[in-house]
Amino acid sequence: MTLNLRRPILIGGIGLSAALWLLETLQYSGSEMGETALIGLAAAGAGYWWWKQQSPKLELALPEPLVNREAAEKAIATASAAINLLAQEAQNSANPANLTAKLDRLKAELDRQDLRITVTGGKAVGKTALIQVLNSNWASQQPSKQIFSETAPLFTNTTNVDAKISGDLVLFVTAGDITDSEFKTLSQLASAGQRVLLVWNKLDQYLPTQQSQVLQQLHQRMQGILGTEDIIAIAASPNSIKVRQHQADGTVKERIENQVSQLEPLTARLTKIVTEERQQLVWASAVREAATIKLEAKTLLNAVRRDRSIPIIEQYQYIAAAAVFANPVPALDLLATTAISTQLVIDLGAIYQQKFSLDQAKTVAGTLATQMFKLGLVELSTQTITGLLKSNAVTYAAGGAVQGISAAYFTRIAGLSLIEYFSTQELENAKGIFNLTELTKTLQAVFMQNQQVSFLQGFINQVASRLAPQMSQSEAVNSAAN
């Protein structure tokens, strides 16, 4: 194993740990073990306090609202920057040409005049009938063009995620009070910045008293999500009614009478939106589409960066294992592993273009270590590793094997947590701004994914094979001493 001597944090931290161990060893012959352990604990505690004291407070970056043409152009430029970054780092392993073509099309559509209206909702709520009556009774009378499209019925298959709903304007059609699934979808659309009208169709199937009750329920349910003017009751294709007419001769004649569509509230609202918000809706669509293109580029870029990060994590996990295995005082492990984690933060940050200062890297490393203890991950994993090692008598007998393999495991968990966290961050966040709550959640998720016994057994074998030369030397020393 070769250490990079150009990493002063790593070398300095391990060196300090080793020096303290040496001091403890020299004092061992003239003092009892309790005093030695006390010296080790004090040294490690002082060193860790120094690392923590050098750390600044971390801040959370908040997103900015996107509403106008300038925002649309900015979103397109941001997506373009992500594509360019992918092209620079991918080295032909990912082709961003199709993303560039999508973005070029989006730029050309910033000034389009047609409005794309998507009609969506569950099964049998009257989507098709609504489009037909709007095209014949409203859209043809407008000075500009409206293009209607219908999605497949939502909520028909609970095992699959419904197709993405998009459009300049979305008419979400329901046949009555909304279900939990409908509420969730409406909330997601609104939170994504999608302009939505909630259209309660089939008004004619309710009595007048029921109509007011349902409408009130819809307003209460969507309070804070949609404005009251965007919740509209209609009857796109009312049911025909049977009319009975008594004749003078005592007979009764029956006829089927078709009802007229009740669309006035909806067409009035649509006319107002088309007149006042048309261009803003087009720009808002551009913002969302640019964000989707950027996400595609970012996903490809994250895959490239992950491939570059994994070997670095593996390198540091073996360094941690060797450093801690060689150090027989557990209290001093903390100093070496904190130095390793700090260097790991800096190296992974460089791959993800996160500009960390030394102080910020120390804070992140310290936070990861602290959270591992608080969440009980250290105790749980150490017990599991100890149990698995007992099946290998030779490995288990080697001094420091549990500590060494545990240090490697925690270094790997820290590294994987960092790349998962970095993968979720905006590409523009290059100032080392951290959300510690999100980092902790990521740490928990990564730990659960890497806690399976099968994975740990394979990991133990890997690390043990790297430590084999040191284990052999340790066993030889122990045999000679006995």
Side-chain angles (χ1 to χ4, degrees), residues 160-454:
N160 294 326
V161 178
D162 290 307
K164 181 182 176 183
I165 304 169
S166 62
D168 300 326
L169 176 66
V170 169
L171 305 185
F172 193 101
V173 185
T174 182
D177 194 12
I178 58 175
T179 64
D180 289 340
S181 296
E182 289 174 320
F183 175 78
K184 181 179 179 181
T185 303
L186 279 164
S187 300
Q188 290 173 341
L189 288 170
S191 64
Q194 176 67 65
R195 189 72 168 88
V196 182
L197 297 184
L198 174 55
V199 181
W200 169 30
N201 192 19
K202 303 189 179 182
L203 178 69
D204 59 299
Q205 297 181 12
Y206 293 79
L207 296 174
T209 55
Q210 295 175 322
Q211 292 174 2
S212 60
Q213 289 174 354
V214 172
L215 197 57
Q216 184 179 8
Q217 289 170 347
L218 290 174
H219 285 157
Q220 290 176 345
R221 193 81 186 274
M222 300 308 297
Q223 187 174 9
I225 299 174
L226 293 179
T228 56
E229 68 278 8
D230 290 336
I231 302 173
I232 303 165
I234 66 165
S237 181
N239 290 335
S240 300
I241 62 173
K242 183 184 290 186
V243 178
R244 290 184 175 183
Q245 187 175 21
H246 294 271
Q247 305 298 312
D249 60 2
T251 61
V252 177
K253 287 187 177 180
E254 295 183 349
R255 71 176 187 276
I256 300 299
E257 187 173 288
N258 294 325
Q259 300 298 298
V260 178
S261 299
Q262 301 176 37
L263 289 181
E264 292 80 6
L266 177 59
T267 54
R269 186 62 181 148
L270 286 173
T271 300
K272 184 175 176 62
I273 290 174
V274 167
T275 303
E276 298 178 358
E277 302 179 33
R278 171 183 295 277
Q279 196 59 66
Q280 287 182 328
L281 292 177
V282 171
W283 292 331
S285 290
V287 169
R288 291 191 298 273
E289 288 188 51
T292 299
I293 295 171
K294 176 187 173 184
L295 181 60
E296 291 183 52
K298 184 181 176 183
T299 301
L300 294 171
L301 182 60
N302 281 336
V304 172
R305 288 174 169 178
R306 184 182 180 88
D307 288 343
R308 292 168 55 196
S309 298
I310 294 299
I312 293 177
I313 294 174
E314 292 176 346
Q315 179 188 20
Y316 282 125
Q317 73 188 27
Y318 295 133
I319 293 174
V324 173
F325 177 80
N327 188 345
V329 182
L332 301 181
D333 298 349
L334 186 60
L335 215 54
T337 53
T338 302
I340 292 168
S341 296
T342 299
Q343 189 66 61
L344 180 60
V345 169
I346 291 176
D347 288 359
L348 293 182
I351 290 177
Y352 284 84
Q353 296 197 4
Q354 302 288 318
K355 298 177 182 178
F356 290 108
S357 67
L358 174 59
D359 290 338
Q360 289 172 316
K362 291 172 185 174
T363 297
V364 175
T367 298
L368 285 168
T370 300
Q371 291 304 315
M372 284 186 188
F373 277 103
K374 284 185 177 179
L375 296 171
L377 308 188
V378 173
E379 181 179 2
L380 177 61
S381 297
T382 301
Q383 290 174 352
T384 304
I385 291 172
T386 300
L388 292 173
L389 275 173
K390 286 182 179 179
S391 62
N392 188 330
V394 176
T395 303
Y396 184 68
V402 172
Q403 293 93 328
I405 293 174
S406 295
Y409 177 70
F410 298 136
T411 301
R412 183 175 185 85
I413 295 297
L416 292 177
S417 298
L418 286 169
I419 63 176
E420 288 299 322
Y421 177 84
F422 289 149
S423 296
T424 64
Q425 301 307 295
E426 290 295 329
L427 296 176
E428 299 79 19
N429 176 25
K431 297 180 180 179
I433 299 174
F434 256 85
N435 182 328
L436 298 183
T437 301
E438 290 302 318
L439 180 60
T440 301
K441 289 180 181 178
T442 303
L443 174 63
Q444 288 178 286
V446 170
F447 176 78
M448 294 303 296
Q449 294 167 4
N450 292 271
Q451 187 60 16
Q452 294 87 351
V453 173
S454 58

Side-chain angles (χ1 to χ4, degrees), residues 49-56 357-360 362-363:
W49 175 87
W50 176 80
W51 286 87
K52 292 289 287 181
Q53 291 300 311
Q54 302 302 313
S55 307
S357 67
L358 174 59
D359 290 338
Q360 289 172 316
K362 291 172 185 174
T363 297

Side-chain angles (χ1 to χ4, degrees), residues 73-111:
E73 291 174 342
K74 181 179 179 181
I76 291 173
T78 301
S80 179
I83 294 172
N84 292 336
L85 197 57
L86 173 63
Q88 293 170 12
E89 295 190 26
Q91 297 178 349
N92 298 325
S93 61
N95 187 354
N98 62 326
L99 298 179
T100 302
K102 290 182 182 179
L103 207 59
D104 290 341
R105 175 190 56 78
L106 192 58
K107 292 177 186 177
E109 292 185 350
L110 277 181
D111 294 312

